[in-house]
Amino acid sequence: MGESAPRKDAPAKVTGRAQFVDDLTLPEMLYGVTVRSTVARGRIQRIRFDPAFEWDECVIVRAEDIPGRNVVPLIADDQPCLAGQVVNHAEEPVLLIAHEDRHMAESARRRVKVEYERLPGVYSIDAALRADAGAPFKSYTVAKGNVEEGFRRAKWVVEGEYETGAQEQLYIEPQGVLAVASPREGVTVWGSMQCPYYVQRALAAVFGLPEEMIRVVQCETGGGFGGKEEYPSMIAAHAALLAWKSRRPVKIIYDRAEDIAATTKRHPSRTRHRTGVAPDGTLTAMEIDFTLDGGAYCTLSPVVLSRGTIHAGGPYRCDNVRISSRAVATNHPPHGAFRGFGAPQSIFAMERHMDRIAKTIGMDPAELRRRNFLRQGDTTATGQVIRERVELPALLERALAESRWEEKRRTFAVTNGNGNVRRGMGIAAFMHGAGFTGSGERHLRSQVAVEATAEGKARVLASSCEMGQGSKTVLCQIAAEALGTKLEDVEIAQPDTAEVPDSGPTVASRTSMVVGKLVESAARDLRRTLDQSGLLEGRTFSEACRELVKRRGGFKSWSRYQPPPGQWWDDDRYSGDAYGTYSWAVQVAEVAVDLVTYETSVTAFVSAQEVGRVLNPALAEGQVEGGVAQGIGLALYEKVVYDKGRVVNSQMTNYIMPAPGDLPPIRSIFLETPYEFGPGGAKGLGELPIDGPAPAILNAVEDATGAAVARIPMTPEDLLDALERTHE
Amino acid sequence: MSDQVELLLQVNGAARRVEAWPLERLLDVLRHGLGLKGTKEGCGEGECGSCVVIMDGKLVVSCLVPALEADGSSITTIEGLGGEAGLDSMQQAFVDEGAAQCGFCTPGMIMAANALCQGGRTMDHASIREGLAGNLCRCTGYMKILAAVRKAGGARP
């Protein structure tokens, strides 16, 4: 470990041999399509089928065809698999059609007209918070110390309000599932996904079958970023329902417009801050109010809200904190998981607010952060004692040095007087909890196995999905080190619920740290067995594995999650050790703002992070560079436009993600402090890098232009408005 | 609906006959008609570049080329690179530099990168960024792709 071992999946990917779900076909296969609601809220009056179309060539599935429960089960079982009498958001699935010709399936979809009695909808956080709009999906209160007392000690009280928009995951491979299903054989699906066991549980409910009759296989997955956490359960149910009724295999592949319009996005948010600041710049009180737009159904909103709430106070020490938060219901398509999971929203607010405080009290923004960083022994807002050394001061110094912070700020102060380009520098400092929140990992009870194979390999069995992040390679590296053998001696199974145990969902920066630890422990067990049986004497590792299988008819060692000692969490009071550990980072953005076009470009970016021991430097850099790129998109380019609850820019031509020319060189720096309970000392990494770019960039824009923009994405039009307000 | 037509194509050096609807996309002809699944569909409107192939020496987005227009042309897809001998230098550079993450944009990215590097031009990052402007990657932030293209481009005769 600690070496940039080449990716196990690279050869198949560079030759085009890697098999994604749309590359699979089965004999007699039909193509499935989804008829979706065209209104955000309404009662279905009637469904008209164009009489000129040959409907007997199609298989049609409606809600009443569902053999089990009409639900996509998750936290609250409120989301139907197919709408019954009412629809609660645009693009809600109403009816399914399959045809053996792809073009005819699409043609059929267009020949179904659903008529609605329209009902009034809720399309903003403000509207959802009005008294008559109903209860939120979830709310939390986190309290520590005495906020009123803290404000009394303050010299300044600084207030601010910040907003973030929806963001599309925009994995380049659209979503899709292939299914076969029958009452006798049960259901088998192959798909692009992050969480095979979520899909299994959903299908068991929809078909009323025991879980062992549901087999879920993950295909090569062309990016997920959270977008393939919960939604594949819906598509799998749809494909399987069509297969169940037709008795033929059915494949559903979304086209890009359908994928953008219908599937989940990052929750839009609004955060209000009120902060007390002492004469020396230390924070005496923080009052934070955080609201997410959950969309029409609950999906994962309670846990997204939880992570956003816990991260809302940033990596700062403050004795008096009160955070109130809620996820509200609207008639937008449900929002869901996206890398960072609520944290980028609340961290955007915190880190913009830190610059507002710095400006108010006349202190350098780096110095203000330095004075307030959490230290070893401090407690977070939830009362968690930080037991490890916090490397934030060192990360800050490295990030400032690498970005030439002082020198550039001095230079820009002079050059910004000339021409039409204004340049500026901005910082963001933050932490990200690794693994599930609170008691989440305890409830998951993840399990993995490592087996010896007849071919003489050690084989990792886990449901954790490779989706580009490099988990196949890293988990094999961890196993190889624990086994004391070469990486070539280790392989990993493709996730298939018929073959691998449930190692939990591939989310929450938990795969290397939590699942990796289980792999390490199972691999050590296998090694112990080989040692104790003397099989390694005079044999290579591979020969020893073969011999073990021959003697025992197969051998698997298992391991199950155990929480680190001393970790406590109180679900009712929302206090305690919110996460086993945190990763820490400081990022610096350098921007250029064109005062003719009002375009902002990020011209340089430094990301310094402490993620425990780095298991594979090339993969880790890839995670940072990709996360920063998505964060730059979130800050400047990626705007989801709704019209009465419908996404109107559902194409790659009008939903803009960063292209090669839109991004700066991204420099990543790792400080390594091994984490006692991570495999080889590793902590979580995947989500961390997307938390900081947006506030760092908007802080830099303010540094460059004086415009204090508090909402992302910040388009050129937004900047123009803000500059006009600034100069009024 | 009009009838299917028979197309004659040179694909990866071999003559292929294939039936297609006249307005079917070259992408569908390759994937469905010929079973060449290495070419990917990411957006269907020429924006993401996952479907790019070489047609008569030029890089085209195969989702915007009608089948009839491709009749008689010579086409190279990702399956036509490297061959028995192994990976071509661009594919190898993508492996070495960690430039493929999820792998879905990768075939298109490699086709575009090869087209860009024809003639062995050595390029700086700015010109590679411009040259790959038609190919989107959501995983990498492009840094490792730039490194791979530079490495392979520089290694060409």
Side-chain angles (χ1 to χ4, degrees):
Chain A
M1 281 191 284
E3 282 171 22
S4 294
R7 297 180 67 105
K8 289 235 161 201
D9 50 355
K13 286 176 172 176
V14 301
T15 52
R17 285 188 282 108
Q19 290 229 307
F20 296 86
V21 59
D22 196 22
D23 303 335
L24 306 181
T25 50
L26 289 171
E28 301 288 299
M29 188 178 82
L30 306 179
Y31 293 87
V33 293
T34 311
V35 175
R36 299 177 179 281
S37 58
T38 50
V39 303
R41 188 162 168 251
R43 201 177 305 282
I44 296 174
Q45 299 291 62
R46 60 182 295 199
I47 300 180
R48 289 173 186 273
F49 293 85
D50 181 349
F53 193 81
E54 297 281 344
W55 290 104
D56 27 339
E57 292 177 6
C58 299
V59 178
I60 295 170
V61 165
R62 294 203 55 185
E64 52 267 29
D65 294 316
I66 294 172
R69 294 166 63 212
N70 183 9
V71 68
V72 184
L74 205 55
I75 293 172
D77 290 352
D78 63 339
Q79 186 176 25
C81 185
L82 288 170
Q85 308 295 309
V86 295
V87 296
N88 287 306
H89 64 85
E91 325 303 342
E92 183 159 357
V94 174
L95 182 142
L96 307 167
I97 303 171
H99 193 285
E100 64 187 7
D101 181 284
R102 284 177 304 130
H103 308 291
M104 294 303 283
E106 174 58 19
S107 178
R109 189 181 68 79
R110 291 164 190 266
R111 286 159 191 261
V112 180
K113 290 280 172 282
V114 185
E115 293 172 9
Y116 304 90
E117 175 201 348
R118 283 171 186 261
L119 299 170
V122 171
Y123 305 114
S124 69
I125 284 175
D126 273 330
L129 286 173
R130 272 180 221 127
D132 58 348
F137 292 123
K138 187 76 187 177
S139 57
Y140 296 108
T141 306
V142 173
K144 173 186 159 189
N146 182 331
V147 175
E148 285 69 30
E149 171 58 27
F151 281 119
R152 270 194 293 278
R153 282 178 29 229
K155 177 177 177 192
W156 297 278
V157 174
V158 184
E159 296 187 33
E161 180 176 310
Y162 307 89
E163 292 181 347
T164 65
Q167 186 186 20
E168 163 62 28
Q169 295 87 356
L170 218 71
Y171 31 73
I172 307 295
E173 181 212 21
Q175 303 231 22
V177 172
L178 167 63
V180 294
S182 73
R184 259 188 48 194
E185 305 286 321
V187 179
T188 300
V189 298
W190 296 261
S192 182
M193 65 182 74
Q194 298 176 221
C195 312
Y197 278 93
Y198 281 10
V199 176
Q200 188 193 52
R201 277 191 282 278
L203 291 173
V206 168
F207 287 89
L209 290 173
E211 283 174 3
E212 53 274 19
M213 286 188 75
I214 312 284
R215 179 180 167 209
V216 181
V217 185
Q218 184 231 359
C219 297
E220 203 68 73
T221 293
F225 316 115
K228 294 171 184 171
E229 176 169 352
E230 70 272 37
Y231 207 86
S233 299
M234 175 79 86
I235 309 172
H238 290 169
L241 285 166
L242 285 164
W244 182 269
K245 190 162 177 185
S246 65
R247 296 287 183 273
R248 289 169 70 171
V250 174
K251 182 160 78 172
I252 296 180
I253 304 291
Y254 284 5
D255 71 15
R256 181 59 62 184
E258 180 174 28
D259 197 312
I260 293 183
T263 70
T264 58
K265 310 208 173 346
R266 183 184 300 290
H267 290 72
S269 75
R270 183 180 68 199
T271 311
R272 289 177 174 144
H273 274 269
R274 189 163 168 263
T275 311
V277 188
D280 63 355
T282 55
L283 308 180
T284 61
M286 298 171 97
E287 195 166 50
I288 305 171
D289 183 271
F290 178 57
T291 307
L292 292 178
D293 171 350
Y297 296 109
C298 179
T299 65
L300 292 164
S301 290
V303 273
V304 175
L305 179 69
S306 150
R307 186 174 281 271
T309 303
I310 291 165
H311 288 76
Y316 304 114
R317 56 198 322 221
C318 181
D319 292 334
N320 308 297
V321 182
R322 185 162 59 221
I323 309 172
S324 313
S325 66
R326 66 216 58 82
V328 297
T330 65
N331 294 100
H332 288 135
H335 298 297
F338 189 160
R339 193 180 204 164
F341 211 69
Q345 290 95 316
S346 63
I347 289 171
F348 169 74
M350 183 72 239
E351 285 304 284
R352 281 294 288 136
H353 194 62
M354 285 301 275
D355 267 39
R356 178 177 292 227
I357 294 169
K359 202 173 186 178
T360 306
I361 71 172
M363 186 178 282
D364 177 84
E367 180 57 25
L368 175 68
R369 288 173 172 85
R370 194 180 284 121
R371 289 188 185 193
N372 285 288
F373 281 146
L374 281 168
R375 295 167 217 170
Q376 193 170 26
D378 284 348
T379 57
T380 66
T382 64
Q384 175 168 8
V385 178
I386 301 291
R387 298 188 189 92
E388 58 194 291
R389 201 168 79 212
V390 179
E391 299 289 3
L392 282 169
L395 291 168
L396 179 65
E397 298 325 311
R398 283 296 300 276
L400 294 179
E402 286 290 334
S403 63
R404 293 154 58 206
W405 170 266
E406 292 292 343
E407 174 197 339
K408 291 214 168 168
R409 293 190 94 204
R410 274 199 306 277
T411 309
F412 296 161
V414 176
T415 56
N416 273 346
N418 315 321
N420 289 319
V421 175
R422 298 285 177 272
R423 294 179 190 277
M425 305 283 284
I427 305 180
F430 49 96
M431 60 192 195
H432 197 98
F436 263 38
T437 304
S439 46
E441 293 292 346
R442 235 173 270 234
H443 293 308
L444 275 179
R445 302 186 71 238
S446 297
Q447 202 176 22
V448 308
V450 176
E451 67 176 352
T453 72
E455 293 74 36
K457 303 261 189 195
R459 189 154 179 265
V460 177
L461 302 170
S463 66
S464 304
C465 293
E466 174 67 68
M467 49 185 164
Q469 81 281 41
S471 61
K472 277 187 175 169
T473 308
V474 165
L475 293 180
C476 287
Q477 280 182 276
I478 291 169
E481 181 155 309
L483 288 162
T485 190
K486 305 184 298 289
L487 187 55
E488 298 76 52
D489 289 335
V490 182
E491 56 186 30
I492 184 163
Q494 189 67 24
D496 173 345
T497 56
E499 200 188 353
V500 302
D502 185 358
S503 61
T506 317
V507 304
S509 309
R510 65 185 293 280
T511 302
S512 292
M513 185 180 97
V514 179
V515 181
K517 187 73 186 171
L518 298 178
V519 169
E520 185 180 67
S521 135
R524 279 189 186 145
D525 267 1
L526 173 57
R527 172 73 197 200
R528 209 170 297 129
T529 303
L530 291 170
D531 282 335
Q532 285 168 358
S533 56
L535 287 171
L536 282 163
E537 283 157 33
R539 288 192 188 83
T540 64
F541 177 82
S542 187
E543 288 162 355
C545 283
R546 267 197 295 266
E547 190 59 29
L548 180 67
V549 173
K550 206 190 290 175
R551 287 191 193 175
R552 301 215 191 168
F555 182 85
K556 272 183 201 174
S557 63
W558 299 82
S559 77
R560 193 183 273 287
Y561 178 77
Q562 296 289 336
Q567 195 183 338
W568 69 279
W569 176 254
D570 182 336
D571 269 321
D572 296 328
R573 297 176 54 203
Y574 233 65
S575 65
D577 297 337
Y579 299 96
T581 187
Y582 295 86
S583 293
W584 311 87
V586 176
Q587 296 179 332
V588 176
E590 180 188 325
V591 303
V593 179
D594 185 320
L595 291 183
V596 178
T597 63
Y598 294 95
E599 277 176 296
T600 299
S601 45
V602 182
T603 47
F605 200 95
V606 173
S607 183
Q609 48 273 319
E610 192 276 292
V611 296
R613 185 169 164 212
V614 174
L615 298 176
N616 181 317
L619 291 177
E621 278 171 23
Q623 285 298 293
V624 171
E625 291 159 5
V628 167
Q630 291 176 356
I632 292 172
L634 172 66
L636 296 175
Y637 302 114
E638 300 184 31
K639 182 168 187 158
V640 180
V641 182
Y642 294 96
D643 179 21
K644 292 204 177 60
R646 284 198 97 172
V647 176
V648 294
N649 59 332
S650 59
Q651 295 163 275
M652 278 183 163
T653 46
N654 50 21
Y655 181 86
I656 307 302
M657 63 158 270
D662 299 324
L663 294 176
I666 299 161
R667 171 107 173 79
S668 30
I669 298 159
F670 292 93
L671 297 187
E672 299 188 46
T673 304
Y675 169 52
E676 192 182 348
F677 304 106
K683 298 195 283 194
L685 166 61
E687 298 175 287
L688 178 77
I690 203 175
D691 288 341
I697 289 164
L698 267 71
N699 288 341
V701 169
E702 184 169 3
D703 182 48
T705 65
V709 180
R711 188 179 201 288
I712 48 171
M714 182 197 78
T715 63
E717 292 84 350
D718 299 326
L719 181 59
L720 170 61
D721 287 348
L723 280 168
E724 285 182 344
R725 279 199 308 274
T726 310
H727 296 143
E728 264 163 17
Chain B
M1 195 181 271
S2 55
D3 289 333
Q4 287 199 316
V5 293
E6 189 183 71
L7 308 178
L8 183 61
L9 307 168
Q10 279 284 121
V11 182
N12 299 328
R16 302 289 297 266
R17 276 177 204 284
V18 58
E19 298 267 312
W21 302 106
L23 288 180
E24 203 164 353
R25 308 170 303 173
L26 174 58
L27 172 63
D28 297 324
V29 175
L30 294 171
R31 285 182 57 84
H32 296 272
L34 297 169
L36 295 170
K37 303 290 178 97
T39 303
K40 304 299 180 193
E41 176 167 2
C43 72
E45 53 178 357
E47 192 67 22
C48 75
S50 300
C51 69
V52 298
V53 297
I54 307 288
M55 182 168 118
D56 291 334
K58 285 210 180 82
L59 195 68
V60 296
V61 280
S62 64
C63 73
L64 295 184
V65 176
L68 263 185
E69 198 181 310
D71 192 21
S73 68
S74 170
I75 290 168
T76 307
T77 69
I78 189 77
E79 289 88 351
L81 304 186
E84 295 302 308
L87 306 178
D88 86 351
S89 58
M90 189 64 72
Q91 290 171 314
Q92 189 60 53
F94 268 62
V95 173
D96 295 343
E97 296 296 320
Q101 285 195 21
C102 84
F104 196 80
C105 77
T106 307
M109 198 64 83
I110 288 173
M111 297 310 290
N114 267 329
L116 184 64
C117 293
Q118 256 164 9
R121 272 177 297 162
T122 308
M123 278 167 293
D124 60 10
H125 279 183
S127 51
I128 300 172
R129 283 182 191 277
E130 198 183 314
L132 294 180
N135 289 74
L136 297 177
C137 168
R138 190 58 154 170
C139 297
T140 62
Y142 306 105
M143 295 291 290
K144 307 229 177 288
I145 293 174
L146 301 182
V149 176
R150 244 189 123 159
K151 183 174 178 183
R156 302 240 156 158

